[in-house]
Amino acid sequence: MSGRVTAVSSSGEYSFTKPNRDSVRLLAGLGVEGDVHAGVTVKHRSRVAQDPTQPNLRQVHLIHEELFAEAGEEGFKVAPGDLGENITTRGIDLLGLPVGTLLRIGDSAVLEVTGLRNPCVQIDNFQDGLLKQVVGRDEAGNIVRKAGIMSIVREGGVVRPGDTIETELPSGPHRPLDRV
């Protein structure tokens, strides 16, 4: 399975949305250079409050651009970077990837998928009612999170819009994504 990067975003300050950039540099074991969520240990405020020594499994946030079109059909206007993601993709079923999938992006960057983003009320603060578009329930009543996936940087490199993304599934039994 392959796809493309459609946008890259980062912010050095805690804010819900992140401005788009011409490129971002991924740093192995840390995340996006200059991004407030980069680091070996957790940087998301709620996670830091729980235990600041937890490993940062949320170094890079990816969202599939197809989600924006889906939300648009319900009257919402969402663009790359609006939901705080670092990399916006097209053509890859991010939510269907198993834990441990490697994403090879551009010339040298490699991300390892760690889990699902857990959408929070800040999404409704951005646009009222949008949270229900990115989290819901399936027929069995299980929670379905659609606000993207989280990853760690295995190999650094520069990522730009237009870069290709190649997936490499892990060996052995595949574990479905859960929130991290």
Side-chain angles (χ1 to χ4, degrees):
M1 181 182 346
S2 65
R4 274 216 186 273
V5 174
T6 60
V8 293
S9 310
S10 67
S11 178
E13 300 175 5
Y14 283 103
S15 62
F16 183 70
T17 62
K18 294 185 180 192
N20 295 154
R21 308 287 182 194
D22 293 332
S23 66
V24 293
R25 179 176 302 280
L26 302 182
L27 304 173
L30 296 173
V32 177
E33 182 177 55
D35 193 81
V36 71
H37 294 111
V40 174
T41 57
V42 293
K43 301 300 176 200
H44 287 78
R45 289 177 174 169
S46 63
R47 305 292 169 119
V48 170
Q50 291 174 354
D51 177 3
T53 65
Q54 294 177 70
N56 188 1
L57 301 178
R58 300 164 56 104
Q59 293 174 356
V60 181
H61 176 200
L62 298 94
I63 281 187
H64 52 295
E65 188 175 67
E66 293 86 349
L67 177 65
F68 304 156
E70 188 180 308
E73 291 173 6
E74 298 299 323
F76 296 95
K77 186 173 190 286
V78 184
D82 281 352
L83 299 182
E85 77 276 9
N86 301 110
I87 299 175
T88 309
T89 69
R90 174 167 282 292
I92 293 181
D93 178 14
L94 295 176
L95 304 177
L97 297 173
V99 172
T101 298
L102 298 180
L103 302 175
R104 298 184 181 283
I105 306 175
D107 293 333
S108 60
V110 179
L111 299 176
E112 180 181 334
V113 176
T114 56
L116 296 169
R117 174 188 185 185
N118 192 30
C120 66
V121 72
Q122 286 183 335
I123 293 174
D124 268 349
N125 294 339
F126 173 68
Q127 284 184 48
D128 190 40
L130 184 57
L131 183 59
K132 286 185 178 181
Q133 296 301 309
V134 299
V135 66
R137 296 200 179 267
D138 64 15
E139 301 80 33
N142 300 310
I143 293 176
V144 176
R145 294 171 178 86
K146 299 187 281 184
I149 64 172
M150 307 307 282
S151 64
I152 57 174
V153 182
R154 287 291 178 209
E155 296 179 29
V158 175
V159 176
R160 296 176 180 84
D163 281 351
T164 59
I165 306 169
E166 297 295 330
T167 60
E168 182 180 321
L169 298 177
S171 60
H174 292 171
R175 289 186 305 134
L177 298 178
D178 199 0
R179 68 184 177 106
V180 292

